[in-house]
Amino acid sequence: MNTPLRLCRAASLREGEAQGFDPQDTGQTTLFAVRYRGQIYLWRNRCPHLGTPMNWRHNAFLNGCGDKVVCFAHGALFEPDSGLCVQGACLGQALTPLAWDITKEGWLSVTETMDETGNTE
Ligand code: FES
C-alpha cells in the first residue's frame, strides 16, 4: 500500500463543493474531491472522453447547481457519486475513483498514487 498523501482538512470540503489537488507535485491538478449529499468522493482529474483535465479553472469542477461534475472541454455531465457520465460525448463511461481515507487528525488523504501517465499504482 502506498503512503497516504494529505489533501486537505476533510471538514474544509463543504457540501456541493469540489477541490482539486496535485499531491505528487506534478504541476497539474491530478485529482479532485467532491462532497455530495454528505459524502466525499475522490476522482482522477481526467475525462474518459479524450483524457483531458475536467476543470476550466482552479476548483471549477461542478455545474452551477453543484449536482453534477462538468467536463470543461465538451460539457459532459457526470454524477458526483458514481462518476457515471449521464450526458455528453462519453455517455455511459465513468470517472476513475481513487481510494482515500481520513486520518485521525482529520486530513482527507489519497491512499493510492498515480504515475506520470496518470495510471494508479
Ligand atoms: S474531453 Fe470531456 S467531454 Fe470531451
Side-chain angles (χ1 to χ4, degrees):
M1 181 174 150
N2 296 307
T3 303
L5 299 173
R6 288 179 177 183
L7 301 175
C8 67
R9 293 279 186 185
S12 73
L13 187 62
R14 293 178 292 185
E15 180 66 30
E17 286 188 353
Q19 291 184 38
F21 302 97
D22 179 16
Q24 295 172 278
D25 294 324
T26 66
Q28 304 209 353
T29 301
T30 55
L31 54 93
F32 65 98
V34 180
R35 188 181 292 274
Y36 177 69
R37 295 183 177 168
Q39 299 296 313
I40 292 175
Y41 302 91
L42 191 63
W43 302 107
R44 182 177 167 191
N45 187 21
R46 185 173 175 155
C47 181
H49 180 216
L50 295 180
T52 61
M54 301 288 291
N55 56 314
W56 59 280
R57 64 174 167 77
H58 187 60
N59 292 340
F61 293 94
L62 301 178
N63 63 356
C65 304
D67 67 350
K68 296 283 185 294
V69 175
V70 181
C71 176
F72 163 66
H74 305 111
L77 299 177
F78 300 81
E79 296 288 354
D81 50 0
S82 68
L84 185 67
C85 178
V86 293
Q87 181 180 316
C90 44
L91 185 67
Q93 297 181 64
L95 300 172
T96 302
L98 295 167
W100 58 272
D101 199 3
I102 297 176
T103 69
K104 62 184 177 200
E105 296 85 13
W107 289 93
L108 173 64
S109 302
V110 60
T111 58
E112 60 184 326
T113 56
M114 293 172 281
D115 65 20
E116 63 280 354
T117 66
N119 292 319
T120 54
E121 300 173 337

